[in-house]
Amino acid sequence: MSVGRTGALRNRNFLLLWVGNGTSLMGIFGARICYPILALDISGSAVLAGWTTFAASVPNLLFLPHAGVFADYSDRRRTMLSFQLLGAAMSAVLTVWVVISGPSLPAVLVVVALIEGTAFAYFSLAEVAAIRDLVPKDQYLAAFSLYEAEKPVAILMGRVFGAGLLGVARWAPFAGNLASYAVSIGSVSAMRGDFSPVASESTSRRESFWSRTREGISWVHRSRFLETSTIATAAANVLFQITILLLIVRSHQEGRPAWVVGFVLSSAGVGGVIGAALAPRLTKAFAPGPVFVAGLWAWALALTPMALTSYPIVMAVCWFAVGAVGTVVSVVNTLNRIEAAPPEAVGRVVGLASLITDGAVPVGAALGGYVLATWGTQTIAWLLPIGLAVLALSGGAALRYTHAPSSAEMKSSSGVPVESLN
């Protein structure tokens, strides 16, 4: 482990937040993989399965701008606690509902997924902003690499255990999610320090939500790399959501047990761990643009074998590669978002960029069921890598012709050279 990573892990508050959120993410990802599987099992409808995934992810489309403002203008620790408590309450409701075989279970699944997704949106932006405050600038790369590393681990363990628990009892993965929330709430509660808002209210005038949001947009617009990578990542996320539903539908059509889907999708977590280990070296050795475009090409290559076979081992290897590349891309994107704005605007910059990238997830989830029902699994399996190849070509062209910064543009107000962002 590098010195930078060791230093970040010696920070008590960062360690508590990292461990607590990592545990919570395992429960969340375990529950989320079970939402569409359970919906498909109940109804046999790929469309309903897509809508349950849509409900869990659509808050990213609806609330991330406000969550970014909220992270800048509220106590970040209190925000994280409040929304983790809300997520825990929803997990408890769903667990009880499944145990008692309550009526309208598909509708309850959608409502719980929607509210829990909303809580997660607000928590995640407050967490990113808090990490920037918790560690010194020379540990940003280490801290955010660790932050991104916990996601693939959570995907790996959460999806395996979630799908496995679903095979034991329908209520089990949601009870597990509730337990993971309890760990996170305890960890965040144990954090000490000043988590008061970085951005302060003016005594002469109180800015509106839209004024604050426009200020965040202006920071996003200053970086060509941030604009291009945000749009391309959003398009890729649409394609990946369709891919996940494709894997679920194929497995269901071929009569495979739920744990097979969990095994395939959890392989992204293994790849993500590898990607997290490589990300600091790649980020230091290459500019963000080439790393990002290479990631798009790697994704296109990774999905190509899925068009040729539905054999679980092959699909797991492909999804492993998707996860490895995805973590590297996430580290590059997160660092550039963090460095693109001053501390008082970081929540809004991250929120607005995430609105586009994460907001694309529910779009892909909603479209997935319809495109699969319309064109079939085989046609879609070929269109997915083709779509990513088109993104790689267009993203590379956009970044290749980025103008060289003038002397007046060489530094942003955060002190980060503009050329490092572009």
Side-chain angles (χ1 to χ4, degrees), residues 358-383:
D358 297 349
V361 171
V363 174
L367 287 176
Y370 292 105
V371 298
L372 287 169
T374 301
W375 287 301
T377 57
Q378 189 57 45
T379 299
I380 296 303
W382 277 111
L383 290 177

Side-chain angles (χ1 to χ4, degrees), residues 17 21 64 66-84 119-134 144 147 188 191 195 198 338 346-348 350-351:
L17 181 58
N21 183 55
L64 279 178
H66 186 265
V69 173
F70 206 76
D72 286 338
Y73 288 86
S74 66
D75 183 296
R76 289 165 179 172
R77 176 176 171 273
R78 186 180 304 134
T79 298
M80 289 187 288
L81 273 176
S82 299
F83 287 102
Q84 287 292 73
F120 181 72
Y122 279 87
F123 172 87
S124 59
L125 284 190
E127 182 194 21
V128 171
I131 291 174
R132 174 170 173 159
D133 298 339
L134 291 174
F144 283 104
Y147 166 75
V188 175
M191 293 168 60
F195 295 90
V198 176
I338 290 296
V346 67
R348 281 164 286 174
V350 174

Side-chain angles (χ1 to χ4, degrees), residues 44-422:
S45 171
V47 173
L48 179 60
W51 277 108
T52 57
T53 306
F54 172 84
S57 51
V58 73
N60 292 333
L61 191 61
L62 299 177
F63 300 118
L64 279 178
H66 186 265
V69 173
F70 206 76
D72 286 338
Y73 288 86
S74 66
D75 183 296
R76 289 165 179 172
R77 176 176 171 273
R78 186 180 304 134
T79 298
M80 289 187 288
L81 273 176
S82 299
F83 287 102
Q84 287 292 73
L85 286 168
L86 178 59
M90 289 301 99
S91 293
V93 168
L94 184 56
T95 301
V96 172
W97 205 262
V98 175
V99 168
I100 67 174
S101 299
S104 305
L105 180 56
V108 174
L109 271 173
V110 170
V111 171
V112 168
L114 178 64
I115 297 176
E116 186 186 39
T118 301
F120 181 72
Y122 279 87
F123 172 87
S124 59
L125 284 190
E127 182 194 21
V128 171
I131 291 174
R132 174 170 173 159
D133 298 339
L134 291 174
V135 300
K137 189 173 182 179
D138 60 359
Q139 292 181 359
Y140 280 0
L141 177 57
F144 283 104
S145 293
L146 287 166
Y147 166 75
E148 293 295 342
E150 71 181 358
K151 293 180 180 179
V153 172
I155 290 172
L156 168 63
M157 300 184 69
R159 286 175 173 171
V160 167
F161 285 113
L165 288 172
L166 186 64
V168 175
R170 284 182 169 181
W171 54 267
F174 311 114
N177 191 21
L178 178 60
S180 73
Y181 271 122
V183 173
S184 180
I185 290 167
S187 294
V188 175
S189 298
M191 293 168 60
R192 298 292 180 265
D194 182 12
F195 295 90
S196 57
V198 176
S200 60
E201 296 283 3
S202 171
T203 56
S204 59
R205 72 181 174 91
R206 299 176 66 87
E207 294 179 318
S208 69
F209 164 74
W210 296 112
S211 297
R212 296 168 179 174
T213 301
R214 283 195 297 271
E215 182 182 356
I217 292 173
S218 70
W219 283 103
V220 174
H221 185 63
R222 296 183 188 196
S223 169
R224 174 65 65 86
F225 173 81
L226 185 55
E227 284 187 320
T228 302
S229 64
T230 297
I231 294 170
T233 302
N237 281 343
V238 171
L239 298 178
F240 288 138
Q241 286 303 305
I242 297 174
T243 304
I244 290 173
L245 192 56
L246 170 68
L247 294 174
I248 293 173
V249 171
R250 270 183 168 178
S251 182
H252 185 266
Q253 289 175 343
E254 294 169 3
R256 295 194 172 103
W259 67 264
V260 172
V261 177
F263 164 74
V264 172
L265 294 180
S266 66
S267 64
V270 181
V273 173
I274 304 300
L278 295 175
R281 295 179 177 86
L282 294 174
T283 303
K284 290 179 180 178
F286 302 99
V291 174
F292 182 78
V293 174
L296 293 174
W297 280 115
W299 275 334
L301 291 173
L303 291 190
T304 300
M306 290 187 182
L308 301 173
T309 179
S310 61
Y311 190 60
I313 296 298
V314 174
M315 292 191 293
V317 171
C318 294
W319 209 239
F320 167 90
V322 169
V325 174
T327 302
V328 175
V329 170
S330 293
V331 171
V332 171
N333 285 346
T334 300
L335 282 174
N336 278 274
R337 292 172 188 176
I338 290 296
E339 293 178 339
E344 65 273 13
V346 67
R348 281 164 286 174
V349 169
V350 174
L352 288 165
S354 298
L355 167 67
I356 300 172
T357 58
D358 297 349
V361 171
V363 174
L367 287 176
Y370 292 105
V371 298
L372 287 169
T374 301
W375 287 301
T377 57
Q378 189 57 45
T379 299
I380 296 303
W382 277 111
L383 290 177
L384 291 169
I386 292 173
L388 283 165
V390 171
L391 282 179
L393 287 170
S394 56
L399 293 175
R400 188 179 303 118
Y401 295 106
T402 301
H403 73 279
S406 66
S407 59
E409 298 171 337
M410 287 300 291
K411 281 186 176 291
S412 69
S413 67
S414 60
V416 180
V418 173
E419 61 186 355
S420 73
L421 304 180
N422 292 322

